[in-house]
Amino acid sequence: MLIDITLKVTPQMIRDAHHNEQKSFDGHLGTHFDVMDQEFPLSYTQRKAVVFDVSGVKDRDIETDDIEILKIEPQMFVAFHTGFLENTGYGSKAYFTRHPQLSENLVEELLKIPVSIIGLDFAGMRRGKQHLPWDQHCAQKGVFVIENLCNLAQVLAAQPHALFNAHTYPLNYAGMTGLPCRVVAQI
C-alpha cells in the first residue's frame, strides 16, 4: 500500500504562503526539506521509517519521553504526527509562527543515533530565530528536515506498529536552502 504524505499545493495555498512566509519563494513551499549548504544524498531516497503519534502533546515542546526512541535505528526516516497541518491549514500566519516544536534535547538524541531524515507535519523543528540554526545544525551532521508532511494519521491507521518505508524524491535544484520533494509511505 502506498500513501502520499506530500502536501498537495494549490494556487490559494501558494498565495497564502507567499503572503505569510517570505522563505516560501526559496524552495520552502509545501512539503520540502531544508538542505542548507548540503546536498541530499541519493541513498536517502529510500529509508526504513517510523512515525510517532505526538498529537496529544500540547502547550510544550515534544520531548524524548513522548516517543519510543528504542524503535529508531541508525539512518531511519523519523516522522512526527501532531495533526497541526490538518487542524490549522497550511499557509496562515499561525501555521508558520505557532506550530509545535521538537525539544533541543530530542533533536540531539536523534542526531546521536544518527537518523537521516526528520519528518514533520508542521513548519519546522523550532520557531522563529531558532529555526534556521537548528536546520543548519542537523544538515551539518547529514540529517535533513522535511517540513509540511501530511496524511501521517493514515500511515498510523494502516500500520499500527508505525513502521514503513519512506520514499523521498527532491527536485534537482541547486543553490537553494529548501528543496520541494515528494514523499510516499510504503506500508
Side-chain angles (χ1 to χ4, degrees), residues 36-90:
M36 308 314 286
D37 57 356
Q38 306 297 313
E39 185 158 326
F40 187 76
L42 287 178
S43 62
Y44 282 23
T45 59
Q46 296 183 37
R47 287 286 180 228
K48 285 176 63 176
V50 61
V51 59
F52 293 106
D53 184 354
V54 291
S55 59
V57 177
K58 304 288 183 207
D59 302 321
R60 66 173 176 80
D61 288 356
I62 299 163
E63 299 286 350
T64 307
D65 291 344
D66 295 319
I67 66 170
E68 295 177 66
I69 201 151
L70 294 177
K71 281 188 171 183
I72 304 172
E73 299 172 18
Q75 299 306 309
M76 278 184 112
F77 179 120
V78 179
F80 294 86
H81 166 65
T82 65
F84 189 76
L85 187 144
E86 285 85 357
N87 294 329
T88 305
Y90 177 79

Side-chain angles (χ1 to χ4, degrees), residues 94-111:
Y95 184 78
F96 293 115
T97 60
R98 296 187 189 139
H99 59 78
Q101 298 189 112
L102 302 184
S103 74
E104 294 175 6
N105 183 58
L106 174 54
V107 175
E108 291 296 351
E109 289 299 317
L110 296 172
L111 295 176

Side-chain angles (χ1 to χ4, degrees), residues 86-141:
E86 285 85 357
N87 294 329
T88 305
Y90 177 79
S92 68
K93 187 72 168 172
Y95 184 78
F96 293 115
T97 60
R98 296 187 189 139
H99 59 78
Q101 298 189 112
L102 302 184
S103 74
E104 294 175 6
N105 183 58
L106 174 54
V107 175
E108 291 296 351
E109 289 299 317
L110 296 172
L111 295 176
K112 282 181 196 172
I113 290 174
V115 302
S116 56
I117 298 173
I118 299 170
L120 312 169
D121 67 351
F122 48 95
M125 285 189 310
R126 304 292 299 164
R127 288 185 217 114
K129 293 181 182 184
Q130 291 185 338
H131 185 128
L132 291 178
W134 278 94
D135 285 350
Q136 185 66 52
H137 180 61
C138 290
Q140 287 172 334
K141 295 187 180 290

